[in-house]
DNA sequence: CACCCGTGGTT
DNA sequence: TAACCAAGGGT
């Protein structure tokens, strides 16, 4: 039977176990938090840290980034992956300047209206940058809820409403404790209650865990959709092209791009996709380049 | 809702 | 080693 003070136990653990991630420092601006959340979308903490520091050093405000062409954002993004995020982050900076006087908004509706900000990121910014009392559910928290609350080994298919409700029900009353609890749940999922081999022996809420109480039953629900193979995929081709465009500070012609991939039809499809996404633009001379505006 | 979107670390 | 996984979002 789960103990009632799961949040208390988790926050007590977190006070000691929290990794000193740079965007958690007290003096970090809402903009810096926003940048960290964009970079952390589907990307591991260890790979984000150096990019985030460089980014904040170069563009300490939304206005600073908005003043530069998107191509510079895509280059600075480097190899973090999903370069559309760099484009969206630049666009979000422009929107913040145009609609919010250069200040990151604190309201969920305003945050959700920004390019690249979805249900998770909006709540994360509101909670972590502004101390608002909202449930925040990311992939780590989803797993913690599935195990500790629902008694399942895995979260199963997306169930946003279910998870937000579960998190909301556990959320401490005060803004400060709620913010810590949101971060603590994510931290537990990232470092203890991990996807593959959780360290249940070291878990601070083992006494409250429904999965443990049930004897760690294996997951029997529907399997998550498997991601397609990366080798040979359009994503691989797009990545190769983007690497080329970032390196070349001038239009790259079709002949040069043709050497990147043997399948001409697939390469053409990838290029079309990049153009459609705004990551590449056709140059007047027939080449391809990063977006200058 | 299912699928697409990069790159690299982990098991 | 191939598969899985990662502070998701857009369509």
């Amino acid at each position: 039977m789960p103990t009632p003070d799961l949040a208390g136990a988790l926050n007590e653990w977190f006070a000691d176990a929290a990794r000193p991630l740079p965007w958690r420092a007290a003096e970090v601006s809402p903009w810096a938090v926003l940048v960290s959340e964009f970079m952390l979308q589907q990307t591991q903490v260890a790979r984000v840290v150096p990019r985030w520091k460089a980014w904040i050093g170069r563009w300490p405000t939304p206005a600073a980034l908005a003043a530069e062409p998107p191509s510079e954002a895509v280059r600075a993004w480097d190899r973090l992956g999903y370069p559309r995020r760099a484009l969206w982050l630049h666009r979000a900076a422009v929107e913040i300047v145009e609609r919010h006087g250069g200040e990151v908004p604190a309201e969920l509706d305003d945050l959700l209206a920004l390019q690249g900000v979805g249900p998770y990121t909006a709540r994360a910014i509101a909670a972590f940058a502004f101390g608002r009392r909202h449930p925040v559910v990311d992939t780590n928290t989803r797993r913690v809820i599935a195990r500790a609350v629902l008694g399942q080994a895995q979260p199963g298919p997306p169930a946003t409403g279910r998870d937000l409700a579960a998190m909301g029900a556990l959320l401490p009353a005060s803004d400060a404790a709620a913010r810590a609890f949101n971060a603590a749940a994510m931290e537990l999922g990232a470092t203890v209650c991990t996807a593959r081999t959780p360290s249940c022996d070291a878990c601070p809420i083992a006494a409250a865990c429904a999965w443990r109480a049930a004897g760690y039953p294996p997951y029997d629900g529907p399997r998550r959709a498997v991601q397609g193979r990366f080798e040979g995929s359009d994503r691989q081709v797009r990545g190769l092209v983007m690497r080329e465009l970032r390196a070349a500070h001038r239009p790259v012609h079709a002949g040069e791009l043709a050497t990147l991939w043997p399948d001409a039809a697939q390469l053409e499809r990838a290029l079309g996709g990049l153009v459609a996404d705004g990551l590449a633009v056709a140059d007047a001379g027939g080449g391809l380049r990063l977006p200058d505006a």
Side-chain angles (χ1 to χ4, degrees):
Chain A
M1 161 169 180
T3 63
D5 194 25
L6 186 148
L10 196 51
N11 276 6
E12 188 175 338
W13 165 81
F14 185 66
D16 225 41
R19 293 166 295 175
L21 305 180
W23 44 85
R24 284 177 177 164
E27 71 277 9
V28 164
S29 69
W31 166 246
V33 171
L34 183 152
V35 171
S36 79
E37 295 300 345
F38 268 73
M39 291 185 168
L40 287 163
Q41 290 169 6
Q42 293 286 284
T43 305
Q44 301 93 325
V45 165
R47 289 206 295 143
V48 165
V49 170
R51 281 291 120 225
W52 179 82
K53 288 179 176 173
W55 194 284
I56 296 306
R58 181 172 175 184
W59 297 306
T61 65
L65 177 59
E68 297 230 23
S71 56
E72 282 308 294
V74 173
R75 284 205 179 85
W77 195 259
D78 197 36
R79 302 173 64 161
L80 271 186
Y82 293 140
R84 298 192 291 189
R85 293 182 293 163
L87 218 48
W88 292 342
L89 178 51
H90 181 274
R91 197 168 307 162
V94 171
E95 292 169 349
I96 290 167
V97 169
E98 290 178 345
R99 304 206 288 256
H100 302 287
E103 300 294 328
V104 176
E107 301 301 323
L108 284 186
D109 289 347
D110 292 329
L111 288 164
L112 282 168
L114 298 174
Q115 181 64 47
V117 175
Y120 162 75
T121 302
R123 289 168 177 280
I125 294 169
F128 301 140
F130 296 105
R132 299 297 178 88
R133 186 178 177 278
H134 297 295
V136 180
V137 176
D138 78 328
T139 187
N140 292 302
T141 300
R142 265 173 59 70
R143 187 170 52 250
V144 170
I145 290 169
R147 291 176 180 162
V149 178
L150 305 176
Q152 313 170 174
Q154 303 294 336
T160 309
R162 177 199 77 187
D163 294 330
L164 280 176
M167 198 59 182
L170 294 170
L171 212 57
S174 81
D175 287 354
R179 177 185 45 71
F181 179 60
N182 279 314
M186 294 168 62
E187 187 82 350
L188 187 76
T191 64
V192 176
C193 193
T194 53
R196 298 272 201 113
T197 53
S199 305
C200 297
D201 293 341
C203 182
I205 58 169
C209 182
W211 188 42
R212 174 177 178 269
Y216 301 116
Y219 181 68
D220 65 345
R223 262 334 252 179
R224 218 170 35 171
V226 283
Q227 178 130 100
R229 189 179 192 79
F230 179 71
E231 292 294 325
S233 69
D234 286 4
R235 287 191 295 170
Q236 182 181 20
V237 183
R238 288 168 57 111
L240 291 172
V241 173
M242 287 306 296
R243 181 188 301 210
E244 206 67 18
L245 296 186
R246 285 195 307 265
H249 291 253
R250 54 173 174 73
V252 181
H253 286 269
E256 307 175 68
L257 294 174
T259 66
L260 293 176
W261 196 254
D263 183 338
Q266 188 180 15
L267 176 60
E268 200 56 37
R269 185 168 67 244
L271 294 178
L274 290 173
V275 170
D277 287 347
L279 282 166
V281 300
D283 185 76
L288 222 51
R289 58 172 172 74
L290 296 181
D292 284 333

